[in-house]
Amino acid sequence: MPVRQIDQSFTMTYQFPVCFDRDTLAPENPLLRDIVERAGDGPHRVLPVIDQNVLEAHPDIVDRLQLYADTHGEALELIEPPLIVRGGEISKSEPTEVDEFYLRTQTQNIDRHSFALVIGGGAVVDAIGYAAATAHRGIRLIRMPTTVLAQNDAGIGVKNAINYRGRKNYLGTFAAPFAVINDFDFLATLPARDKVSGIAEAIKVALIRDGEFFSWLHDNREGLAAFNAEPTEYMITRCAELHLNHIRTSGDPFEQGSARPLDFGHWCAHRLEEISASELRHGEAVAIGIALDSIYSHLKGMISIDSLNRIRATLEGVGFTLSHAALESLDINKALQDFREHLGGKLCITLLTCEGAAQEVDEIDHVLMERCRQHLLEGTWPS
Ligand SMILES: NC(=O)c1ccc[n+]([C@@H]2O[C@H](COP(=O)([O-])OP(=O)(O)OC[C@H]3O[C@@H](n4cnc5c(N)ncnc54)[C@H](O)[C@@H]3O)[C@@H](O)[C@H]2O)c1
Ligand SMILES: [Zn+2]
């Protein structure tokens, strides 16, 4: 027993809106102004941080931001110039982006009452989320995710991360954003590959949480592959809703336990991203991971062949290629061990019990998993 012990305990409520919108930067659109005003009387200083590829695809974005701030000067004051950062995984793998953000906070006196407004893909949102959470122990962050994957997953939750010495997401924090604005209009300029990539997270969360949504994804796979606006926007909204529900109701928003149902298919996905030196997009690697763990679930007798066939049809139907050279170099043993370490000691892998429900297991049959890899590599799934 210590000489004296004081049991410290307090609770804190987190609250942030996740909005789905169009033309957010139109001067007459009040959403961004209203969000900033939730912080009290303004004007509030706002540093825009923009993904270079978003800027290239939307060259008027800086002028539009300025016009917006001029129109709503009582609420927002832009910190100039905007910080333009490289898009994609490089923003997480090299220290430049995070460092430039820290430098700006120092040289322009950006404090905990100021805002960072990050506009970009999941990688930039993750990197700047990490920088904003650590500068001054936390600057208010408004996220404006601009990819499918960032709008339905990466940009809406409470995590951020950067990579460290080649290890994916090694440095990161749990930090709730001030608000999230998913503006669907950004998606029009996404490369085809990135349009498809984000659908993996919707298939993932549907398979573990919502069989009806999975059936919907299966039935709408052609419309999703064609990126028709109506199914795409529904897919993003429902996927985001399921992620948010999980974070709110799981009882473990900051992942202190070992179970990570939202990481279904991810134990190998992160390794595949590393092996391919990020040539594989996160969503593409997740699609392969879902396929691998679905085949394993079937061979373990947990899901039917019909379900397995529907999973394959959905993944391939929306446009994923499920065999990739990186799979050949995957060290299954090491990948599972790394995942266990990441969880904090106990292995916990999510498998499927049907379309819409999952089960955690603490052991993987390596010989069987090896067979699953061969099925995927050769494109000869169990039948
Ligand atoms: N924090 C989390 O909870 C979480 C969850 C899932 C994924 N992630 C992370 O998200 C990242 C993947 O995000 P992603 O799939 O958005 O990829 P990404 O950020 O790499 O974006 C893909 C490409 O599209 C470009 N781009 C972004 N928006 C565009 C637009 N509107 N028009 C044209 N080009 C645009 C980007 O610059 C990039 O080149 C990974 O690093 C992954 O680890 C984080
Ligand atoms: Zn993911």
Side-chain angles (χ1 to χ4, degrees), residues 51 53-54 57-58 87-89 92 120-124 126 146-147 149-150 153-154 159-160 168-169 186-187 189-191 194 197 201 273 281-282:
D51 184 317
N53 295 321
V54 175
H58 303 261
E89 201 64 22
K92 290 176 64 171
V124 164
D126 246 3
T146 57
T147 64
L149 193 135
D153 182 356
K159 293 193 282 188
N160 57 59
K168 179 96 184 155
N169 295 340
F186 279 112
L187 304 179
T189 57
L190 267 183
D194 291 294
S197 169
E201 302 285 5
E273 287 182 80
R281 295 277 201 269
H282 178 70

Side-chain angles (χ1 to χ4, degrees), residues 80-197:
E80 292 181 86
L83 176 56
I84 310 300
V85 296
R86 291 172 298 175
E89 201 64 22
I90 198 160
S91 59
K92 290 176 64 171
S93 299
E94 291 185 4
T96 317
E97 279 62 30
V98 171
D99 192 60
E100 282 178 357
F101 183 89
Y102 291 152
L103 190 63
R104 281 298 202 91
T105 59
Q106 286 196 332
T107 55
Q108 294 185 297
N109 302 322
I110 296 168
D111 62 22
R112 291 168 53 83
H113 296 280
S114 312
F115 285 87
L117 169 66
V118 61
I119 305 177
V124 164
V125 167
D126 246 3
I128 298 305
Y130 175 74
T134 45
H136 290 299
R137 299 200 181 97
I139 290 168
R140 291 168 175 155
L141 180 69
I142 299 175
R143 304 189 193 132
M144 225 188 258
T146 57
T147 64
V148 172
L149 193 135
Q151 294 194 353
N152 70 13
D153 182 356
I156 60 163
V158 293
K159 293 193 282 188
N160 57 59
I162 55 171
N163 310 329
Y164 179 69
R165 291 177 180 255
R167 176 47 48 89
K168 179 96 184 155
N169 295 340
Y170 192 78
L171 300 177
T173 74
F174 289 97
F178 192 83
V180 181
I181 304 175
N182 281 333
D183 183 337
F184 290 133
D185 288 342
F186 279 112
L187 304 179
T189 57
L190 267 183
R193 199 177 159 184
D194 291 294
K195 287 178 175 166
V196 173
S197 169

